[in-house]
Amino acid sequence: MGQIEWAMWANEQALASGLILITGGIVATAGRFTQWYFGAYSIVAGVFVCLLEYPRGKRKKGSTMERWGQKYMTSVVKLFGPLTRNYYVRAVLHLLLSVPAGFLLATILGTACLAIASGIYLLAAVRGEQWTPIEPKPRERPQIGGTIKQPPTNPPPRPPAEARKKPSEEEAAAAGGPPGGPQANPIPVTDEVV
Amino acid sequence: MLSAVTGLGSIESTVAKNLPVVSIHQLGLCLSRASASVLNLNCSLILLPMCRILLAYLRGSQKVPSRRTRRLLDKSRTFHITCGVTICIFSGVHVAAHLVNALNFSVNYSEDFVELNAARYRNEDPRKLLFTTVPGLTGVCMVVVLFLMITASTYAIRVSNYDIFWYTHNLFFVFYMLLMLHVSGGLLKYQTNLDTHPPGCINLNRTSSQNISLPEYFSEHFHEPFPEEFSKPEEFTQNTFVKICMEEPRFQANFPQTWLWISGPLCLYCAERLYRYIRSNKPVTIISVISHPSDVMEIRMVKENFKARPGQYIILHCPSVSALENHPFTLTMCPTETKATFGVHLKIVGDWTERFRDILLPPSSQDSEILPFIQSRNYPKLYIDGPFGSPFEESLNYEVSLCVAGGIGVTPFASILNTLLDDWKPYKLRRLYFIWVCRDIQSFHWFADLLCMLHNKFWQENRPDYVNIRLYLSQTDGIQKIIGEKYHALNSRLFIGRPRWKLLFDEIAKYNRGKTVGVFCCGPNSLSKTLHKLSNQNNSYGTRFEYNKESFS
């Protein structure tokens, strides 16, 4: 039990609550019930919560599944720095956002769900979790010719690498190939490779 | 798909019953009734795939002879998830419809039929209606419970934090209790004296302004609050036959149909849980614990009256490691008539398995390893639950089977191989293609002895083509190319690199023309998808490949 990351669950809950708020808000404004402006507020709040919660944070251990297309929102959410990183801020924000929707019957469900999500975020914050963006791994471009170090200085036949190593590395190298230092050429050789 | 069809069927029937005349007032009630019927059906069906002992019994019993029916049992988890999603959607519809109803009940409070109203006075605040009546309050609590359960059941949560999913999903019991209370509120009433006060009859004592205006009526089980428009006298005279009311209508609450729907499966599920609890209360006796390379540990144990078929899995529960968690592991050796020992192989991946290993094999002696510990130690108490069925049991019922294992996914097939080692004649299987892909060459040591013994046995019995073993090492550092000096049979069947599935499938199809080959895969999802796709393709030899899918989390 000690390894549960509550933030991920709170994130799913907040996303679901955002959708519930949007739906309730649409019902309230379309039906033009009394106090329908609460419904309009609920739609706006729902959209905001959905956008904020769409990018999933990175797990501490293991790999995290990204939501489709989340990298665009990740860059926006990352901009706010500590405001979005800290879960205390998110808990308080969700609690405040959920209160006005509670006055209207159609959106009261969204209030309850968002309040629960806010509670779980508080739990996550108390346990020291933080939102870290999922960065795309930089693609390693294979350097053309990067592994080709210096071309060999000796013509073939060449002794194996161990015999060509410097004397300080000879203890570390396996005892393969003829003992002794590198081959000494009677005539100096230069390579004419361009 | 079945549940979608049944769901739609029930919604159509209830909506058709409820909708001869649809006005705005009635739409809310109709929708809520229709969605309630669908919810009844789904809440009762959703429990059935979770009765795993029952499913294991059905799978093994002679009463289910057809392979097609057994393959349906493989889909039980998918069925459960589909029912869950349907419940979620229709709960949304139900809640929305009832919110509209609550508003209508309060706005259109009817003085004529006081008993019918849910509201107690005109323009009662609908929120009060929601929270102070029994159906309203239980409904709100149920939605909250459903919200918690659904948000914790998404694929991402199940894969990363299975505990959250498991603990919240156990709230289903609270959900069902609330559901029973929800329908006992008696909101829906039917009229008991239809003969003396038929719908549409005229009350001679009343003023004309309160008369009924709708010309058609349906003989339905509920009455709705009347709209307040005036009736046009011409419309009335056009009616065919108008009766006169003898007496005031009397109403009585409907019997809650939901109780009938859900009591059956709920009792079945509770009975099964009780049976499992009683059966698993006796701890097993651990005989030996063996440590294998690549972080795998084997445990051999015995238990009285424990019978299992090859391919089944059990759930281990060790209170010294964790009081609440239990984990499923496939049996790698099943008890036979001669030998009562059974065993599991566990791969050490998470915190539970790590702690389990530290308790059974103290860290100081973990380095030396393929020897069993003969000294009698104080092993912790271990409880097992099961065995439960899985699609791999079916591999013995095909004439030709292709079993593909990825890494530790070899465990279900190990029990099949152990069974074949014991006695292969009673089963329908006549040829087994066994393909095992691993990343690390040391992993093959887990079952190298078993494979060699099996190979030798079939060689002695002059059936060398019964089992075709192919081992693949998908990643190699080029240094170690053989499994071990004594495993000649395996070394010559070891290939470096990933298998080329299309060629393998073509080869199997060519050598088994016209037959049905069962394909079983236990490994990563990508492997499973590739094999599924290849199994569904046609080939020119007339061989049919039937893919049997196991669904893990």
Side-chain angles (χ1 to χ4, degrees), chain A residues 1 3-6 8-9 12-13 16-17 20 33 56 59 65 102-103 105-106 108-109 113 116, chain B residues 99 103 126-127 130-131 143-144 147-148 151-152 154-157 160-161 163-164 167-168 325 351:
Chain A
M1 273 276 260
Q3 305 222 351
I4 296 184
E5 288 194 37
W6 298 96
M8 199 175 211
W9 188 26
E12 300 274 337
Q13 286 188 335
S17 329
I20 297 178
F33 295 140
R56 202 176 262 145
R59 277 170 67 200
M65 275 177 50
F103 289 109
L105 184 61
I108 206 168
L109 205 57
C113 297
I116 296 177
Chain B
L99 287 177
L103 271 167
R127 281 173 289 166
L130 202 61
F131 287 107
V143 170
V144 168
F147 172 70
L148 287 175
T151 49
T154 56
Y155 180 68
I157 300 264
S160 53
N161 290 315
D163 293 331
I164 296 183
Y167 296 129
T168 44
E325 289 184 29
D351 54 338

Side-chain angles (χ1 to χ4, degrees), chain A residues 34-123:
Chain A
T34 52
Q35 300 177 314
W36 63 269
Y37 38 87
F38 277 121
Y41 162 80
S42 159
I43 296 181
V44 171
V47 169
F48 173 69
V49 163
C50 277
L51 286 177
L52 175 64
E53 298 289 341
Y54 192 70
R56 202 176 262 145
K58 204 151 94 137
R59 277 170 67 200
K60 276 200 201 105
K61 247 180 24 169
S63 64
T64 322
M65 275 177 50
E66 280 194 8
R67 292 202 179 104
W68 179 86
Q70 97 171 26
K71 54 181 191 264
Y72 307 109
M73 275 315 297
T74 309
S75 39
V76 174
V77 173
K78 214 167 48 158
L79 280 177
F80 288 93
L83 274 185
T84 44
R85 231 189 359 245
N86 193 330
Y87 283 142
Y88 281 112
V89 171
R90 276 204 204 191
V92 169
L93 178 70
H94 287 324
L95 198 58
L96 291 176
L97 280 177
S98 66
V99 165
F103 289 109
L104 193 59
L105 184 61
T107 52
I108 206 168
L109 205 57
T111 303
C113 297
L114 198 55
I116 296 177
S118 149
I120 308 277
Y121 262 130
L122 192 63
L123 177 63

Side-chain angles (χ1 to χ4, degrees), chain B residues 417-525:
Chain B
L417 294 175
N418 264 315
T419 313
L420 290 176
L421 189 66
D422 195 40
D423 186 12
W424 57 271
K425 294 197 180 72
Y427 304 105
K428 193 171 160 197
L429 184 66
R430 286 294 167 259
R431 181 172 286 173
L432 174 64
Y433 289 91
F434 177 67
I435 301 185
W436 188 8
V437 185
C438 275
R439 280 201 203 153
D440 183 12
I441 201 164
Q442 295 291 327
S443 315
F444 292 119
H445 282 282
W446 304 334
F447 295 109
D449 289 314
L450 169 63
L451 288 170
C452 279
M453 281 202 293
L454 199 64
H455 174 82
N456 286 336
K457 169 178 163 161
F458 282 115
W459 190 265
Q460 300 296 328
E461 299 198 17
N462 201 17
R463 292 198 70 127
D465 56 346
Y466 193 102
V467 175
N468 296 299
I469 302 173
R470 281 190 219 216
L471 308 176
Y472 288 87
L473 190 62
S474 56
Q475 284 176 17
T476 173
D477 50 0
I479 296 185
Q480 206 169 355
K481 291 215 162 56
I482 60 167
I483 298 174
E485 294 229 332
K486 57 176 179 158
Y487 302 119
H488 295 297
L490 301 185
N491 289 329
S492 53
R493 287 165 171 77
L494 175 66
F495 300 93
I496 311 291
R498 293 222 175 120
R500 287 184 290 179
W501 299 113
K502 185 83 185 80
L503 296 182
L504 267 169
F505 269 74
D506 284 343
E507 183 186 328
I508 297 179
K510 188 155 74 159
Y511 291 141
N512 298 284
R513 284 176 209 239
K515 297 215 170 111
T516 304
V517 178
V519 181
F520 300 87
C521 171
C522 187
N525 263 343

